[in-house]
Amino acid sequence: MSVALFTAGLGDIIRTCYLTASYRVLTETSTPLPVIVASHNPFSIEIFRHHRNAKNLVLYDLGHKYQEFLAAGLRGPDISRALCEFAGQDYETLIRGKAEGHIPSFNAPDDVDSRGHIVFQPFAGNGTYRSLPPALLEMTAAVLRRLPWPVFVITRSYPRLGERSKTIHANEDASALAGGNITVLDNLTVPATLNLIKNCRAYVGSWSSLQQAAWFENKPVVVFYPHDFAIRGTGYAFGMDRENTLERVFPKADAAELEAFLRRW
């Protein structure tokens, strides 16, 4: 029996859905299929709980074990083996291979009926590092308020501890931004959020999970990130040099440039 495995952060799980055969197989299976979801984002599993073929998915929600194995120093195939062993599944039967052009679609009970909007994600997993600084958040929101399109701000609060029990994710509060053309959505399910990106005209945010989905959907993307950001040049930055991407370190974000870019698309 094959086993599907989705691990790490929400951005990693999004990448697995778009880049590998795993998500396609979930749609195609007509017999019970074990699906291990091991994410430090507790809402990632919503992608699979609301899947159109959920009746044939046997879900293992192992975010706590992922955190445990990560803290113990396991990485890569070792952590995948440990997760499979804990779930009583054979690591050798993991679904492998590329997506081969398959574009995932998502099912949600709370889809937002909107087209041509902008999605804004100001916060990231580490509130003191990658989330937009207050001044940049306010500047970005001021630009978005001047635009003629609806803007949806995506937030989701949950506790997450990092090394030495340091809190690296907690409360995400954007309620002060609500009003006019800006709507704050702080409890939208993950699949509904991904559908919101599929139907948007552009994505704006900090370096976080959702610009992965926006890039896979070839949406115009604005992404702001800190000076000492180490992920540039990796696979996670695959859309950085596209014509329809505006990327700037926090201090170089410019309101006029941001507005001109968004109006261009």
Side-chain angles (χ1 to χ4, degrees), residues 114-118 148-152 196 199-202 219:
S114 179
R115 301 289 188 276
H117 50 267
I118 292 174
W149 309 294
V151 176
F152 294 100
L196 198 66
N199 294 322
C200 78
R201 69 181 304 112
K219 300 294 184 178

Side-chain angles (χ1 to χ4, degrees), residues 11 14-16 18-19 207-219 221 223 229 231-245 247:
I14 290 170
R15 290 174 60 78
T16 300
Y18 277 87
L19 292 176
W207 189 282
S208 193
S209 54
L210 297 185
Q211 100 260 4
Q212 297 292 310
W215 274 335
F216 283 125
E217 293 288 338
N218 197 30
K219 300 294 184 178
V221 168
V223 59
F229 196 59
I231 211 164
R232 187 182 177 95
T234 70
Y236 293 98
F238 68 96
M240 288 284 267
D241 296 324
R242 292 179 178 177
E243 181 185 8
N244 63 347
T245 292
E247 49 88 8

Side-chain angles (χ1 to χ4, degrees), residues 60-245:
Y60 295 83
D61 188 356
L62 298 184
H64 63 298
K65 299 305 293 185
Y66 178 83
Q67 295 278 63
E68 178 185 316
F69 294 146
L70 197 66
L74 299 184
R75 299 292 187 273
D78 290 335
I79 202 168
S80 297
R81 287 181 184 276
L83 288 166
C84 287
E85 181 178 349
F86 182 82
Q89 303 298 327
D90 184 357
Y91 171 80
E92 299 303 325
T93 66
L94 281 181
I95 297 169
R96 305 179 190 278
K98 297 181 180 180
E100 303 296 348
H102 175 74
I103 303 298
S105 59
F106 305 99
N107 300 92
D110 55 344
D111 276 328
V112 177
D113 185 12
S114 179
R115 301 289 188 276
H117 50 267
I118 292 174
V119 175
F120 180 31
Q121 184 187 33
F123 303 111
N126 187 331
T128 62
Y129 180 45
R130 289 187 284 117
S131 293
L132 299 191
L136 178 52
L137 192 158
E138 284 299 324
M139 183 207 81
T140 304
V143 170
L144 295 175
R145 289 189 187 100
R146 293 196 293 268
L147 298 177
W149 309 294
V151 176
F152 294 100
V153 181
I154 301 298
T155 66
R156 204 80 185 261
S157 298
Y158 63 93
R160 178 189 169 198
L161 298 179
E163 295 181 4
R164 296 182 292 278
S165 296
K166 177 183 177 183
T167 299
I168 60 175
H169 190 286
N171 189 47
E172 294 185 351
D173 184 5
S175 57
L177 302 181
N181 66 329
I182 297 180
T183 301
V184 177
L185 300 172
D186 60 3
N187 285 300
L188 198 66
T189 64
V190 172
T193 300
L194 295 175
N195 287 334
L196 198 66
I197 290 175
K198 280 180 174 286
N199 294 322
C200 78
R201 69 181 304 112
Y203 167 88
V204 180
S206 62
W207 189 282
S208 193
S209 54
L210 297 185
Q211 100 260 4
Q212 297 292 310
W215 274 335
F216 283 125
E217 293 288 338
N218 197 30
K219 300 294 184 178
V221 168
V222 177
V223 59
F224 299 122
Y225 54 94
H227 263 309
D228 55 346
F229 196 59
I231 211 164
R232 187 182 177 95
T234 70
Y236 293 98
F238 68 96
M240 288 284 267
D241 296 324
R242 292 179 178 177
E243 181 185 8
N244 63 347
T245 292

